């Protein structure tokens, strides 16, 4: 054999260097700030929850790969990233078995039965989350009062702002927007801090990991719908806000509260389940924004962000049909 | 003009500044394939044992889409052998042993001294001169220049086949000094070498095609002052074109960026929308042919990539590529790929003895360690390819359809409009061999339609 044989293959002969692994690594890097803030406020219970979720997801993937007799996908970080995301949308006071079941559901129910990475139709993290929520609503609402790291006080149970909002619209007036955006409120481990999520999201945008259309669409959709609600919903009108600025406070509240930010920047743009066409992605984002506010204002559930993502996942195949015009295509009969 | 900022595609590193081409002495033997372009094979006009002089025709054909081949050294025809060209087709090749005397055949055509001469000549006469000289567009799979410049042969059936509503008369000539696929940059290295030849070449091209408007596409950041000055003298327009936005400078996309006209694809060409586009090196060759009255026997040829001194040479046609790589300091100890053309669209060849022809513009050398590998990984639907495709296709979908042999469905999704630029494969995190799928699909569609 001649050692110096040349390779022949199709172009291109050089690649951009992005791999599935590096893509999900960027995702994990971008999630880090929000996770750290969550760990700061919710301490040890939160850390255990997140670790258990990730570990359970990894073990499940390993077992699934044994059953399927295929090499496991662990090395490309996809499963770890999914486990991490689920951990970040679990409540800090969850019992120890909840994250374990959740991690397994993410992998088995969310991905493996559809054929793994690239084939599942709905965001596996949210599939698992919804399954947990339906099965154990009590445990999924085990929120804790945030406290700064190391104060060592007893953990006390708490209600999230959105839960309060359901009962009483005047919650809008009570919240401190600063604390809300900073993440110093009760909520899911990694989704309380809007600022941290925004930092991570902008990082993903700059690195071009996620399309800008989804978060921009989601934010625009949420702002539009929140203003519409503020100007039309009788119960909000009763609060007597006259000025635009006061109504904008409602908008800031909605953007910062609950799971909106993590849905707009991380769960929604999850590659496999989001559309690929430019207008498709934008409408996908808008849909998330609209659903979030509709459910929060008029719906029977507490937060609509995650359901918005799942709903838009379902319409993704339709959105992918909105194709851009092909350059140079001859329109026959013209 | 900042058109390229809005351009999809991908961003590549800017090619290094290129020095003017270095002359390479004629090799011991030249290998002259009798087809150096897209089109018909020429018939050999010489037999083994014949004595030939430089410029003597060794291959010619009656076919319209073919180009004459001339001897590029003086000497004895050793043999006529079958070789394989970069595209993988077998082609008869005349081998001439150089006697080192460099004798030219007696000049047949009279020289045109200046642009005024070119402007005064009849277009058909100029076209005939180009056809005799056998010039070929400097591009992988380039066509003979006279074919590129002639009006469509049979308008009715042509229009029917392409579905193009109207063919406009040619009114614009674009001379493209930007290399579409850096770092293989023969045009860039000729930027400072322009003079009389370019003036004559452009005047003749404009005269033949009937173009009133001449646009020079200059590389942004390249040293284009000589060209810009000439443009000022001759009232040519100039446009600055990004060298880093790929594939901005490929023919159809450049035409659409500079004139706003969309070339109908897949079967149309710039001519159909009234534009003739020429690489700078081709325009220079036209000028040289007309000024000297002799055929062009050498080629500006870039050696890029992993060689000791990447640079551009002026090489006798028929020189084995191996020799040119040696002249550039030699390739890596464990060679991986030799790619004719650039990294994004070039063709990998398996035989380093493949000769330099009129349609090769350069090679990129890669060592074995740096050869890219694709993966058997499913598409993760990330949409990066969609964001990169310069002609607005949905490559992810096309790739899946072609992978699962649903070729007609892919054709309905405009598979045939793909320009095989490779952007989708470049950005794909799953490292799917996108271009391979798409090319394969196209071949299957064409084969299916033939039946
Ligand atoms: S589908 Fe074709 S035209 Fe589009 S990026 Fe891929 S190779 Fe280029
Ligand atoms: S870039 Fe690759 S993985 Fe992403 S959508 Fe396109 S083909 Fe699929």
């Amino acid at each position: 054999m001649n050692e110096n044989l040349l390779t022949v293959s199709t172009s291109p002969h050089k690649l951009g260097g992005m791999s599935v692994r590096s893509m999900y690594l960027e995702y994990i890097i971008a999630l880090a700030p929000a996770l750290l803030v969550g760990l700061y406020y919710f301490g040890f219970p939160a850390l255990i929850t997140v670790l258990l979720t990730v570990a359970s997801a990894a073990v499940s993937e390993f077992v699934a790969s044994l059953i399927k007799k295929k090499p496991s996908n662990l090395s490309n970080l996809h499963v770890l990233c999914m486990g991490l995301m689920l951990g970040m949308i679990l409540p800090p006071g969850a019992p120890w078995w909840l994250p374990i079941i959740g991690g397994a559901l993410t992998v088995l129910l969310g991905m493996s039965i559809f054929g793994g990475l690239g084939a599942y139709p709905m965001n596996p993290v949210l599939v698992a989350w919804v399954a947990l929520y339906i099965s154990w609503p009590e445990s999924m609402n085990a929120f804790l009062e945030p406290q700064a790291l190391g104060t060592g006080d007893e953990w006390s149970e708490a209600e999230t702002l959105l839960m309060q909002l359901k009962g009483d619209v005047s919650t809008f007036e009570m919240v401190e927007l600063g604390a809300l955006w900073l993440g110093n409120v009760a909520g899911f481990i990694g989704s309380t801090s809007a600022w941290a999520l925004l930092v991570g999201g902008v990082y993903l945008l700059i690195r071009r990991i996620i399309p800008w259309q989804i978060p921009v669409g989601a934010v625009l959709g949420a702002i539009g719908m929140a203003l519409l609600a503020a100007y039309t919903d009788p119960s909000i009108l009763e609060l007597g806000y006259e000025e635009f600025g006061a109504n904008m406070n409602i908008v800031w509240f909605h953007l910062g509260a609950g799971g909106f930010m993590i849905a707009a920047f991380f769960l929604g743009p999850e590659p496999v389940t989001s559309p690929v066409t430019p207008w498709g992605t934008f409408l996908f984002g808008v849909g998330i924004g609209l659903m979030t506010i509709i459910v929060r204002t008029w719906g029977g559930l507490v937060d609509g962000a995650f359901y918005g993502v799942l709903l838009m996942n379902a319409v993704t195949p339709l959105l992918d049909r909105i194709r851009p015009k092909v350059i140079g295509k001859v329109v026959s009969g013209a | 003009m900042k058109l390229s900022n809005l351009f999809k595609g991908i961003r590549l590193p800017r090619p290094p500044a290129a020095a003017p081409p270095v002359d390479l002495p004629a090799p011991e033997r030249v290998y002259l394939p009798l087809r150096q372009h897209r089109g018909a094979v020429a018939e050999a006009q010489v037999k083994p044992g014949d004595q030939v002089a430089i410029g003597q025709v060794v291959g010619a054909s009656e076919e319209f889409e073919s180009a004459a081949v001339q001897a590029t050294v003086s000497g004895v025809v050793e043999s006529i052998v079958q070789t394989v060209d970069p595209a993988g087709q077998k082609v008869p090749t005349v081998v001439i042993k150089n006697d080192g005397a460099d004798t030219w055949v007696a000049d047949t055509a009279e020289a045109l001294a200046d642009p005024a001469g070119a402007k005064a000549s009849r277009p058909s006469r100029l076209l005939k001169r180009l056809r005799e000289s056998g010039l070929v567009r400097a591009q992988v799979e380039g066509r003979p220049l006279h074919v590129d410049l002639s009006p469509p042969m049979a308008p009715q059936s042509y229009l029917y086949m392409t579905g193009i509503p109207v063919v406009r008369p040619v009114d614009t000539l674009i001379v493209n000094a930007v290399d579409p696929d850096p770092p293989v940059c023969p045009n860039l290295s000729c930027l400072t070498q322009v003079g009389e030849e370019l003036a004559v070449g452009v005047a003749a091209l404009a005269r033949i095609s009937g173009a009133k408007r001449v646009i020079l596409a200059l590389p942004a950041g390249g040293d284009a002052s000589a060209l810009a000055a000439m443009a000022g003298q001759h009232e040519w327009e100039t446009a600055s074109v990004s060298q880093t936005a790929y594939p901005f400078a490929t023919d159809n996309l450049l035409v659409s960026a500079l004139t706003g006209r969309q070339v109908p694809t897949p079967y149309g060409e710039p001519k159909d929308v009234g534009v003739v586009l020429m690489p700078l090196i081709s325009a220079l060759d036209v000028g040289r042919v007309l000024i000297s009255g002799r055929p062009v026997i050498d080629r500006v040829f870039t050696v890029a990539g992993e060689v000791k001194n990447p640079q551009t040479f002026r090489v006798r046609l028929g020189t084995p590529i191996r020799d040119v790589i040696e002249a550039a300091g030699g390739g890596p100890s464990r060679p991986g790929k030799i790619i004719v053309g650039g990294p994004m669209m070039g063709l990998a060849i398996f035989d380093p003895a493949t000769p330099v022809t009129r349609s090769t513009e350069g090679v990129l050398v890669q060592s074995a360690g740096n050869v890219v590998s694709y993966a058997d990984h499913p598409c993760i639907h990330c949409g990066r390819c969609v964001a990169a495709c310069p002609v607005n296709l949905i490559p992810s979908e096309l790739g899946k359809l072609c992978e699962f042999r649903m070729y007609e469905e892919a054709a309905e999704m405009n598979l045939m409009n793909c320009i095989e630029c490779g952007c989708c494969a470049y950005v794909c995190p799953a490292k799917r061999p996108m271009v391979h799928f798409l090319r394969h699909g196209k071949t299957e569609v064409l084969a299916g339609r033939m039946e």
Side-chain angles (χ1 to χ4, degrees):
Chain A
M1 260 308 261
N2 182 351
E3 274 236 316
N4 291 340
L5 278 186
L6 294 174
T7 314
V8 180
S9 73
T10 358
S11 56
H13 306 286
K14 135 171 144 184
L15 295 182
M18 167 79 66
S19 67
V20 178
R21 185 189 159 87
S22 66
M23 192 166 133
Y24 281 105
L25 187 64
E26 303 265 22
Y27 244 89
I28 294 175
I29 294 174
L31 284 167
L35 181 65
L36 292 178
V37 173
L39 295 180
Y40 177 78
Y41 282 124
F42 301 111
F44 191 65
L47 181 67
I48 292 295
T49 308
V50 172
L51 284 184
L52 281 178
T53 327
V54 175
S56 153
V59 170
S60 311
E61 165 69 19
F62 185 69
V63 171
S65 69
L66 283 188
I67 296 172
K68 284 189 287 190
K69 297 200 176 66
K70 283 193 177 159
S72 97
N73 252 338
L74 283 176
S75 66
N76 65 21
L77 300 181
H78 170 246
V79 170
L80 298 186
C81 178
M82 292 288 139
L84 186 64
M85 276 206 261
L86 180 66
M88 290 175 66
I89 54 173
L90 291 179
W96 61 270
W97 44 265
L98 194 77
I100 295 184
I101 297 179
L105 284 178
T106 307
V107 172
L108 303 177
L109 183 66
M111 302 194 276
S112 286
I113 59 169
F114 296 107
L117 177 54
Y120 48 83
M122 301 250 179
N123 194 322
V125 176
L126 292 178
V127 169
W129 187 85
V130 168
L132 294 178
Y133 207 94
I134 294 174
S135 315
W136 299 281
E138 288 291 300
S139 307
M140 286 296 279
N141 280 328
F143 296 108
L144 299 178
E145 202 65 60
Q147 48 178 279
L149 196 65
T151 37
D153 295 343
E154 283 290 300
W155 295 104
S156 54
E157 288 195 10
E159 266 200 324
T160 65
L161 288 165
L162 287 173
M163 288 158 90
Q164 295 170 20
L165 180 69
K166 274 288 156 203
D168 181 8
V169 198
S170 61
T171 307
F172 284 137
E173 292 177 332
M174 332 273 208
V175 284
E176 257 186 78
L177 280 180
L180 172 65
W181 273 63
L182 208 57
N184 192 3
V185 289
F188 297 123
I189 295 169
S191 66
T192 54
S193 172
W195 282 123
L197 288 165
L198 200 60
V199 167
V202 169
Y203 173 79
L204 285 185
L205 285 180
I206 292 172
R207 306 282 294 167
R208 295 185 182 232
I209 306 291
I210 60 175
W212 58 269
Q213 285 100 331
I214 294 180
V216 169
V219 169
L220 288 182
I223 293 180
M225 201 65 207
L227 284 179
L228 188 72
Y231 280 107
T232 57
D233 189 66
S235 59
I236 303 182
L237 284 178
E238 258 173 36
L239 295 173
Y241 293 156
E242 299 273 303
E243 284 163 41
F244 181 69
N247 284 316
M248 272 315 276
N249 274 345
I250 297 186
V251 171
W252 296 130
F253 171 84
H254 276 307
L255 293 187
F260 177 73
M261 277 291 172
I262 198 169
F265 282 98
F266 295 95
L267 295 168
E270 195 274 330
V272 182
T273 51
S274 60
V276 292
T277 57
W279 278 104
T281 32
F282 183 72
L283 293 177
F284 180 89
V286 172
I288 296 176
L290 295 184
M291 271 297 288
T292 308
I293 310 297
I294 291 176
V295 172
R296 284 182 189 175
T297 317
W298 299 293
L301 298 155
V302 174
D303 190 358
F306 300 157
Y307 298 100
V309 174
L310 280 177
L311 182 79
M312 295 318 284
N313 283 167
V315 272
T316 290
L318 275 181
L319 292 174
D320 264 347
R321 295 182 156 232
I322 312 175
R323 299 197 174 92
K325 190 184 168 305
V326 175
I327 294 195
K329 183 171 161 58
V330 184
V331 187
S332 53
Chain B
M1 200 184 298
K2 278 289 169 209
L3 285 168
S4 53
N5 285 352
L6 294 175
F7 184 71
K8 288 166 82 182
I10 53 175
R11 301 296 177 269
L12 295 176
R14 179 189 295 269
V22 179
D23 277 314
L24 200 68
E28 215 169 288
R29 269 185 195 78
V30 291
Y31 300 80
L32 302 169
L34 293 177
R35 188 192 56 219
Q36 314 198 345
H37 54 84
R38 201 159 76 192
V41 185
E43 278 150 38
Q45 309 289 312
V46 288
K47 300 185 300 300
D50 284 4
Q51 182 74 29
V52 291
I54 300 181
Q56 183 177 339
V57 175
V58 298
S61 167
E62 292 296 300
E63 293 280 331
F64 179 68
E65 201 163 311
S66 75
V69 179
Q70 293 92 0
T72 56
V73 293
S74 56
V76 184
V77 176
E78 270 193 344
S79 56
I80 297 178
V81 294
Q82 290 280 338
T83 58
V84 176
D85 72 3
Q89 307 285 325
K90 278 206 177 131
V91 54
T93 299
V94 177
V95 185
I96 303 174
K97 186 165 170 23
N98 190 0
D99 62 8
D102 273 3
T103 40
W104 275 82
V105 284
D107 289 349
T108 45
E110 89 275 29
L112 290 175
D114 58 316
K119 278 190 189 131
S121 307
R122 277 207 320 278
S124 57
R125 212 176 119 235
L126 291 171
L127 198 59
K128 186 157 162 281
R129 283 278 289 277
L130 292 191
R131 185 169 177 189
E132 285 163 0
S133 71
L135 282 185
V136 167
R137 204 180 158 86
Q139 211 168 47
V140 174
E141 296 273 281
R143 291 196 306 189
L145 278 194
H146 65 271
V147 179
D148 258 356
L149 288 165
S150 320
M153 290 285 287
Q156 276 316 318
S157 60
Y158 176 76
L159 291 188
Y160 176 74
M161 183 186 83
T162 53
I164 299 157
V166 236
V167 171
R168 317 168 54 137
V170 171
D171 57 5
T172 307
L173 169 69
I174 299 179
V175 176
N176 183 11
V178 188
D179 296 279
D181 203 353
V184 172
C185 296
N187 288 317
L188 198 57
S189 99
C190 290
L191 273 187
T192 52
Q193 301 273 299
V194 296
E196 185 74 312
E197 302 162 353
L198 185 67
V200 175
V202 171
L205 288 170
R207 177 83 179 142
I208 297 172
S209 59
K212 305 275 173 302
R213 187 173 164 213
V214 176
I215 308 179
L216 280 186
L218 304 177
D223 177 16
S225 49
L227 270 177
M230 278 191 77
Q233 268 172 35
H234 292 92
E235 299 186 350
W236 303 331
E237 294 167 42
T238 56
S240 172
V241 173
S242 161
Q243 297 188 75
T244 52
Y246 171 85
F248 194 71
T250 50
D251 299 3
N252 292 359
L253 297 172
L254 193 64
V255 166
S256 132
L258 295 187
T259 66
R261 301 174 195 169
Q262 282 191 12
V263 180
T265 50
Y267 304 110
E269 42 186 325
K271 229 162 42 181
D272 300 331
V273 292
V275 181
V276 165
L277 189 136
M278 261 317 132
L280 175 67
I281 43 180
S282 295
L284 288 171
D285 279 353
V286 171
R288 286 165 70 198
V289 163
L290 294 179
I291 291 174
S292 66
R294 290 170 161 181
V296 172
I297 56 163
D298 52 25
R299 186 79 188 82
V300 182
F301 192 87
T302 302
V303 182
E306 296 175 61
V307 291
K308 208 163 280 156
N309 313 304
Q311 56 182 312
T312 303
F313 296 96
R314 193 172 280 284
V315 183
R316 241 9 117 80
L317 290 167
T319 309
I321 285 174
R322 186 203 300 128
D323 294 7
V324 194
I325 295 177
E326 283 309 317
S333 54
R334 281 180 62 228
K337 271 185 186 172
I338 296 180
I339 298 148
V340 171
M344 296 301 292
M345 287 210 263
L347 300 167
I349 55 172
F350 68 87
D351 184 3
T354 307
V356 173
T357 68
R358 286 193 162 119
S359 56
T360 51
E361 19 175 25
V363 288
L364 180 80
V365 182
Q366 287 180 337
S367 68
N370 284 342
V371 169
V372 299
S373 56
Y374 292 99
D376 173 26
H377 194 289
C379 166
I380 61 167
H381 205 248
C382 66
R384 296 172 66 84
C385 52
V386 182
C389 179
V391 294
N392 286 349
L393 300 176
I394 313 290
S396 52
E397 199 170 25
L398 295 177
K400 280 183 245 177
L401 289 173
C402 292
E403 188 180 6
F404 298 118
R405 301 169 173 254
M406 296 161 75
Y407 306 118
E408 275 306 321
E409 286 83 350
E412 259 164 45
M413 311 264 202
N414 307 310
L415 170 66
M416 303 312 272
N417 290 62
C418 165
I419 56 172
E420 297 176 17
C421 65
C423 292
C424 47
Y426 183 86
V427 297
C428 180
K431 300 207 190 317
R432 285 164 66 76
M434 298 300 290
V435 177
H436 173 84
F437 287 143
L438 302 177
R439 264 195 198 143
H440 176 69
K442 280 178 163 185
T443 331
E444 291 288 334
V445 169
L446 288 183
R449 290 189 181 161
M450 287 287 181
E451 279 167 12

